[in-house]
């Protein structure tokens, strides 16, 4: 049972990272015609997602190797995504084109990332303080 709790966040994070990596690079490099299907994408949001996908992979490795730095990596990813969401709202308020689904997707991605931050905190930071 303990192994399940050790590997479960790793598997979820890798899956989330690879999906994010695929989707962001598909838009950046226009693979499979996805760029056209996405409509009015906001490029800095796509780049924030791309950077976060790489950070997720490093964080998954950190979970696997039981590294405290995992918390910092995931916190950085959350910060990047929150800054991108703020930038998106500025972009929208200045009349920039965007897809409505981007707002929901960013909020979902931030919530998922913050959930992983919480898991890393409980696993590495809080446990260290209690020992």
């Amino acid at each position: 049972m303990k192994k399940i709790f050790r590997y479960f966040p790793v598997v979820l994070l890798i899956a989330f990272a690879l999906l994010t990596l695929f989707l962001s690079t598909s838009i950046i490099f226009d693979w499979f015609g996805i760029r056209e299907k996405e409509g009015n994408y906001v490029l800095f949001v796509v780049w924030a997602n791309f950077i976060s996908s790489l950070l997720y992979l490093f964080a998954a490795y950190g979970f696997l190797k039981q590294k405290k730095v995992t918390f910092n990596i995931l916190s950085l990813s959350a910060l990047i995504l929150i800054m991108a969401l703020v930038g998106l709202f500025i972009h929208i308020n200045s009349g920039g084109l965007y897809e409505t689904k981007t707002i929901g997707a960013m909020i979902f991605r931030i919530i998922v990332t913050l959930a992983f931050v919480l898991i890393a905190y409980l696993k590495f930071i809080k446990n260290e303080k209690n020992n």
Side-chain angles (χ1 to χ4, degrees), residues 4-129:
I4 291 173
F5 285 116
R6 181 175 179 193
Y7 293 113
F8 188 68
V10 174
V11 171
L12 280 179
L13 196 52
I14 289 172
F16 194 60
L18 292 177
L19 177 64
T20 303
L21 183 64
F22 172 75
L23 291 174
S24 59
T25 56
S26 293
I27 294 170
I28 292 168
F29 300 115
D30 196 20
W31 295 343
F32 313 110
I34 289 179
R35 184 185 291 174
E36 186 176 315
K37 292 176 188 172
E38 285 301 312
N40 297 316
Y41 63 90
V42 180
L43 190 58
F44 67 84
V45 171
V46 176
W47 276 101
N49 289 334
F50 171 73
I51 292 166
S52 287
S53 71
L54 298 177
L55 291 172
Y56 295 151
L57 290 172
F58 285 116
Y61 179 78
F63 269 120
L64 192 62
K65 295 297 184 178
Q66 304 289 306
K67 299 291 183 181
K68 187 170 74 168
V69 72
T70 304
F71 172 76
N72 296 334
I73 293 169
L74 288 168
S75 296
L76 176 61
S77 178
L79 180 63
I80 289 168
L81 292 171
I82 290 168
M83 288 174 30
L85 183 62
V86 168
L88 177 62
F89 284 126
I90 292 169
H91 174 79
I92 292 168
N93 286 332
S94 65
L97 296 175
Y98 71 101
E99 294 289 331
T100 308
K101 65 183 177 181
T102 304
I103 297 169
M106 286 298 292
I107 291 170
F108 172 76
R109 187 173 308 287
I110 290 168
I111 289 170
V112 169
T113 304
L114 289 174
F116 281 115
V117 168
L118 179 62
I119 292 168
Y121 174 79
L122 294 173
K123 189 168 185 154
F124 303 117
I125 307 300
K126 188 174 181 186
N127 279 346
E128 184 178 284
K129 288 179 183 178

